[in-house]
Amino acid sequence: MKKACYINGISSLSPQSTAEEENFDFQQIQTFQKPVLQVAFKNYKKLIKPVAMRRMSKSVKMGVFTAASALIDAEVKTPTSILTGTGMGCKQDSDIFLENLLLQNEELLSPSKFVQSTHNTVGGQVALYLKSKAYNFTYVQGSASFESALLDAQLSILTEEKPHQILVGGIDEISENTIGLLQLDQQIKNEPEIKNLQLLDYPSKGSIIGEGAHFFVISEEKTATSYAQLLDLHLENAIEVEEVAIKTKQFLAQNQLQASDIDLIILGNNGDKDFDTYFQPLQHEFKQTPQVFYKHLVGESYTASAFGMQLGVKILKAQFIPEAYRLNAIQPQKAIKKVLLYNQFRGKNHSWMLLAHV
Amino acid sequence: MSNLRQELKKQIIEQLNLEDLEITDINDNDELFGDEIGLDSIDALELIVLLEKEYGIKITDPKEGKEVFYSVETMASYIEKHS
């Protein structure tokens, strides 16, 4: 029998989290009037001891917390692999380390900041927290980082003859330096006030940026509380706008599906006038299908698609499309069984994910 | 309590991010790497950097470090002797 990938546990920290509660709520939408959306969550001590937290930067705390929380959600104690994807790694500690390097003429540098500044710090700290010596790999592939980690999880399950409980997630944090650089590069909108719920109405370059950590527990074993099934995943580094619809149809055909089989499409629109054109062919192709987007609520980041996947998984489980996430007004005419996600980042790293109800 | 010992406690708390500790929580003779304060090997590296950066004293012999960093008292005595 062909093996399948079931999503059995999830946890998310995003700008939609509150100071006390990690996972986003469909009914309680956080709104913003600024272009930089940060995670307000503070309650890390729920799962992490203060003594362990003292050396953790924000991304490490977010990563360890959501990894531990996803395992609890899946009722799994020990993962068989820990796979993390991050575009920028522990950016805040990297900045501090490099600033000290300059200030102190490359001498007498804090070892903690160096240790914490590497991209695989989150994966390492998750392993230390869980006392896990399992396969541990960090993917640093820009805006394909989370998808690359997810691909590793999918291939492991489909090709290895052993049971899996794979912890896979995407993490990115904002630092002051990142904001400055992205502003210079016009990746952040420069309007004096940005209302995030109207993000797609600003006809300008750039978007709003965000941060977060999103972990999943994936296994070939379906449980009574499984959220959804990951049917397939496809990545392409560079394609033209005209190819998006063709590639999407090819991806669906590989899974014996056509556009009419999709009950919901989740798109990565971020309001950037130069690159949202990539989503338009699918907005047109799937105009009779309910459409959802999410970056107006969590901001753009290299691993924002991990939030999109959590959104798809939660919609499949709840069979409900929250109003604030709607991209069109089409209502589902039947149960939501198949969800297609498409994302790209500034015209690169195009990804398609297919989720199914279980 | 001497100013040097007070200053060392403040520097240790700041450098090692011991957010839950106050200067008054550390006694001069408390074992820094034992149950009382609970520092670890990365903290030892931080203390070596602290000593060199703040007091211009280099620790090169690991055996010596073990004795020097036993407590705030031993650190202060070592600084007084070498500065």
Side-chain angles (χ1 to χ4, degrees):
Chain A
M1 195 176 94
K2 196 186 167 194
K3 289 203 281 184
C5 302
Y6 292 100
I7 299 160
N8 295 338
I10 57 171
S11 180
S12 166
L13 272 173
S14 73
Q16 288 300 311
S17 309
T18 64
E20 289 298 313
E21 285 302 317
E22 60 270 28
N23 292 318
F24 60 99
D25 188 323
F26 282 167
Q27 307 300 339
Q28 290 185 332
I29 301 298
Q30 313 293 322
T31 58
F32 305 92
Q33 296 190 349
K34 54 186 183 180
V36 178
L37 315 187
Q38 283 161 323
V39 172
F41 184 73
K42 300 274 181 224
N43 202 9
Y44 296 103
K45 63 179 184 298
K46 257 195 339 192
L47 293 175
I48 311 172
K49 287 181 187 162
V51 69
M53 239 188 308
R54 72 186 165 99
R55 272 196 219 110
M56 292 183 179
S57 65
K58 191 172 190 181
S59 59
V60 177
K61 279 191 277 193
M62 292 194 299
V64 171
F65 185 92
T66 47
S69 177
L71 285 172
I72 293 168
D73 190 40
E75 297 181 7
V76 169
K77 282 197 176 143
T78 318
T80 54
S81 339
I82 299 168
L83 305 172
T84 41
T86 178
M88 299 296 280
C90 299
K91 189 67 177 55
Q92 291 177 2
D93 273 353
S94 297
D95 289 353
I96 294 170
F97 180 71
L98 291 172
E99 277 163 11
N100 287 341
L101 198 75
L102 290 172
L103 281 172
Q104 292 167 213
N105 291 325
E106 303 183 17
E107 285 183 347
L108 303 173
L109 299 164
S110 157
S112 297
K113 296 297 176 205
F114 171 67
V115 171
Q116 300 291 347
S117 67
T118 59
H119 283 76
N120 55 5
T121 299
V122 176
Q125 289 285 341
V126 170
L128 284 170
Y129 176 91
L130 298 169
K131 296 185 172 59
S132 164
K133 291 179 183 168
Y135 172 67
N136 191 318
F137 211 94
T138 298
Y139 287 86
V140 184
Q141 312 281 15
S143 49
S145 298
F146 169 68
E147 286 84 347
S148 302
L150 190 62
L151 192 60
D152 188 338
Q154 185 198 27
L155 290 174
S156 299
I157 287 176
L158 298 182
T159 60
E160 294 174 349
E161 292 300 324
K162 61 177 188 180
H164 298 85
Q165 299 288 354
I166 300 175
L167 192 53
V168 54
I171 309 106
D172 267 303
E173 70 180 1
I174 292 170
S175 79
E176 284 302 316
N177 272 326
T178 315
I179 297 169
L181 289 171
L182 294 180
Q183 278 168 336
L184 268 178
D185 196 35
Q186 294 184 298
Q187 291 191 37
I188 298 179
K189 286 192 180 295
N190 62 5
E191 281 86 348
E193 187 184 87
I194 300 278
K195 290 183 178 166
N196 71 312
L197 293 183
Q198 277 106 53
L199 181 64
L200 302 190
D201 298 338
Y202 297 92
S204 54
K205 282 176 182 284
S207 182
I208 56 177
I209 61 164
E211 61 183 1
H214 317 281
F215 265 93
F216 302 81
V217 177
I218 299 184
S219 172
E220 61 277 282
E221 184 193 340
K222 185 182 171 189
T223 69
T225 53
S226 288
Y227 284 89
Q229 186 184 349
L230 173 68
L231 284 180
D232 204 1
L233 168 67
H234 180 68
L235 289 170
E236 299 247 355
N237 178 250
I239 60 170
E240 298 300 323
V241 172
E242 298 73 33
E243 294 176 276
V244 173
I246 300 162
K247 297 279 183 185
T248 303
K249 282 180 189 166
Q250 286 172 353
F251 175 64
L252 292 177
Q254 279 164 14
N255 289 280
Q256 293 78 50
L257 294 170
Q258 47 191 350
S260 58
D261 295 317
I262 298 302
D263 303 305
L264 173 73
I265 183 163
I266 299 180
L267 297 170
N269 300 53
N270 69 5
D272 187 329
K273 78 174 178 69
D274 288 347
F275 298 102
D276 268 3
T277 46
Y278 277 94
F279 299 106
Q280 286 165 5
L282 296 191
Q283 285 178 254
H284 177 74
E285 188 73 31
F286 289 84
K287 60 177 183 281
Q288 298 305 324
T289 307
Q291 298 175 3
V292 154
F293 72 128
Y294 53 92
K295 288 180 185 168
H296 59 313
L297 294 167
V298 296
E300 180 64 279
S301 75
Y302 282 136
T303 47
S305 56
F307 180 90
M309 185 169 154
Q310 292 241 343
L311 177 64
V313 165
K314 285 182 91 160
I315 289 175
L316 276 167
K317 187 80 172 173
Q319 290 291 304
F320 168 74
I321 302 175
E323 206 54 41
Y325 292 83
R326 283 183 181 277
L327 188 56
N328 68 5
I330 303 291
Q331 296 290 341
Q333 299 302 310
K334 53 185 174 41
I336 304 167
K337 297 277 188 194
K338 299 271 189 310
V339 174
L340 174 68
L341 292 96
Y342 165 68
N343 188 42
Q344 55 80 25
F345 185 92
R346 295 175 67 75
K348 293 278 160 57
N349 291 330
H350 303 259
S351 67
W352 292 261
M353 290 181 208
L354 198 51
L355 301 172
H357 183 259
V358 289
Chain B
M1 196 188 291
S2 78
N3 281 343
L4 175 59
R5 282 151 186 81
Q6 285 277 55
E7 191 179 87
L8 268 176
K9 288 174 193 176
K10 188 168 172 269
Q11 288 164 342
I12 289 171
I13 288 169
E14 278 174 13
Q15 187 79 13
L16 308 185
N17 280 331
L18 302 171
E19 290 164 356
D20 293 333
L21 285 185
E22 301 285 338
I23 290 177
T24 49
D25 294 328
I26 307 176
N27 296 314
D28 288 0
N29 292 307
D30 278 352
E31 206 178 325
L32 292 175
F33 290 85
D35 291 338
E36 283 146 340
I37 310 296
L39 303 186
D40 60 22
S41 57
I42 295 177
D43 295 318
L45 292 171
E46 292 284 5
L47 291 180
I48 291 170
V49 172
L50 186 151
L51 217 58
E52 190 171 348
K53 196 169 148 188
E54 302 292 336
Y55 302 97
I57 299 170
K58 257 188 184 174
I59 302 269
T60 45
D61 181 1
K63 281 180 194 161
E64 193 182 28
K66 206 172 174 183
E67 287 162 21
V68 174
F69 298 127
Y70 182 81
S71 66
V72 170
E73 181 56 42
T74 55
M75 280 180 77
S77 302
Y78 190 81
I79 293 166
E80 283 163 349
K81 203 171 148 187
H82 289 83
S83 56

